[in-house]
Amino acid sequence: MNIYFSFKSWKKIITLLLTISFLTACESIEAGEINKSKQKIFIGDNYGQINNQGRLRTYYSYIPKSYNPNQPMPLVLVFHGDAGSGRSISDVTGFNNLAEQKGFIVVYPDGINQKWSLRSNSQGKVDDISFVSSLIDGLKQQVNIDSHKVYATGFSRGGILTQALACKLSDKIAAFASVAGSLPVRLKPNCQPETPISMMAINGTKDRDVLYEGDDRDRRGALVSISDMVGFWRSHDRCISSSASPLLPSTKVKATQYSNCIGNSEVLQLAVVDGGHFWPGGASTDASLNKFNAQLGLNASQTIWDFFQRHSLS
């Protein structure tokens, strides 16, 4: 009798355990589907993540209402400066509104600890060039991106990263625009893209963070002067002629367009006279900067998009 009772008790216990295991498994499957659904792309704001070099990387993106999964759409990558984030640079640049008006996808990656690294992945260091390359590949799996029309722009350290991307990812990115950035001294000798590079550079002549005249070459993280940076890209593209660009009526902006370059490439330089370290036409809480912007009459984001539209990968 006791044995029979014991057997029935064990049978109930086993049945209960099986039921709990089944429910747990169902919950795990459901949780997996929820996590997977977080990676789905929706019209409007999106937050995504990607595993790269053993780290979980994040980004913010905006998909315009005109997006059609059956039609490829241009992609613009926007890189923040030090201490910034994808979301913060989106607020400054206003690229979301422009993406809605013009019909392109815009993605704002986040740097590790709000910074970008241009070094190779050695001794645990982050390689953000590799991250961007993987991000582009990953985005192409989620949304219908026009592979011929992927573009990169950035501010400050993000602008420096944009210059580095031009050196390394010319096979994936059609045109580049750096704002308040330049080419690192140590990177210049090793910057040998296999294709012509369409580069736009916007710099303030009185920028105290990215000096217009460049840094002492022995300084850590030194940048070349803006004239040397522009000259480097002109030389790489074998541009024959230069002319004052009629794109900008403002007397505070000196625009020089270098054309007749190989592969229909182009170098466009915008020098903001007496300008500092800022995104021209961008949102700011600084009243004096807003006043300067109003007098300047330059919308960097719109001008960059106009530049991008002229270029695509063959």
Side-chain angles (χ1 to χ4, degrees), residues 55-122:
R55 291 177 169 87
L56 186 65
R57 303 299 300 268
T58 59
Y59 59 90
Y60 163 63
S61 65
Y62 184 83
I63 311 296
K65 295 183 180 69
S66 58
Y67 173 71
N68 182 342
N70 298 317
Q71 295 180 351
M73 187 170 263
L75 167 67
V76 175
L77 298 168
V78 184
F79 300 95
H80 62 76
D82 279 351
S85 67
R87 191 60 202 249
S88 69
I89 195 65
S90 75
D91 292 337
V92 171
T93 61
F95 263 113
N96 285 5
N97 291 335
L98 199 58
E100 190 64 57
Q101 295 169 17
K102 304 299 182 180
F104 61 86
I105 297 165
V106 58
V107 173
Y108 310 86
D110 296 311
I112 296 291
N113 297 322
Q114 298 181 296
K115 295 182 179 181
W116 299 111
S117 172
L118 310 182
R119 296 183 179 276
S120 59
N121 188 20
S122 59

Side-chain angles (χ1 to χ4, degrees), residues 36 38-41 48-52 57 59 61 63 67 75 77 105 107 109 129-147 150 169 172:
K36 184 178 180 181
K38 290 180 180 178
Q39 289 294 95
K40 289 183 179 179
I41 298 295
Q49 56 190 33
I50 180 176
N51 285 300
N52 181 257
R57 303 299 300 268
Y59 59 90
S61 65
I63 311 296
Y67 173 71
L75 167 67
L77 298 168
I105 297 165
V107 173
I129 305 294
S130 174
F131 161 58
V132 173
S133 180
S134 297
L135 177 61
I136 292 172
D137 292 340
L139 290 169
K140 287 179 180 178
Q141 295 177 9
Q142 296 184 56
V143 287
N144 194 350
I145 290 172
D146 188 338
S147 297
V150 176
L169 295 183
K172 288 187 174 182

Side-chain angles (χ1 to χ4, degrees), residues 121-308:
N121 188 20
S122 59
Q123 299 179 349
K125 293 185 179 296
V126 177
D127 179 358
D128 278 321
I129 305 294
S130 174
F131 161 58
V132 173
S133 180
S134 297
L135 177 61
I136 292 172
D137 292 340
L139 290 169
K140 287 179 180 178
Q141 295 177 9
Q142 296 184 56
V143 287
N144 194 350
I145 290 172
D146 188 338
S147 297
H148 300 284
K149 297 181 179 181
V150 176
Y151 307 103
T153 184
F155 171 70
S156 188
R157 184 67 173 177
I160 298 169
L161 174 62
T162 299
Q163 297 272 340
L165 292 173
C167 297
K168 303 293 185 180
L169 295 183
S170 61
D171 60 327
K172 288 187 174 182
I173 303 175
F176 307 81
S178 70
V179 178
S182 188
L183 188 65
V185 169
R186 66 171 182 80
L187 183 61
K188 183 180 175 182
N190 301 316
C191 183
Q192 300 175 353
E194 296 181 357
T195 62
I197 297 296
S198 290
M199 174 66 70
M200 178 178 179
I202 304 177
N203 295 87
T205 61
K206 291 188 177 180
D207 190 332
R208 296 180 180 178
D209 295 292
V210 175
L211 302 179
Y212 202 82
E213 63 274 16
D215 298 313
D216 182 335
R217 290 182 174 269
D218 294 327
R219 173 186 165 187
R220 183 179 180 182
L223 302 173
V224 304
S225 69
I226 304 308
S227 61
D228 283 350
M229 177 263 289
V230 173
F232 174 82
W233 293 118
R234 285 181 61 193
S235 176
H236 173 75
D237 293 342
R238 302 178 203 169
C239 301
I240 297 174
S241 60
S242 64
S243 62
S245 174
L247 297 174
L248 303 164
S250 175
T251 57
K252 292 183 176 292
V253 180
K254 293 183 178 180
T256 308
Q257 186 177 36
Y258 302 91
S259 55
N260 292 325
C261 312
I262 59 174
N264 295 317
S265 59
E266 173 191 4
V267 179
L268 179 60
Q269 179 194 8
L270 274 59
V272 181
V273 179
D274 296 332
H277 196 70
F278 75 121
W279 185 280
S284 175
T285 56
D286 186 329
S288 61
L289 181 56
N290 287 332
K291 182 179 180 180
F292 182 83
N293 261 324
Q295 295 173 343
L296 189 63
L298 170 63
N299 185 320
S301 299
Q302 178 67 65
T303 306
I304 288 169
W305 174 245
D306 291 342
F307 175 78
F308 285 164

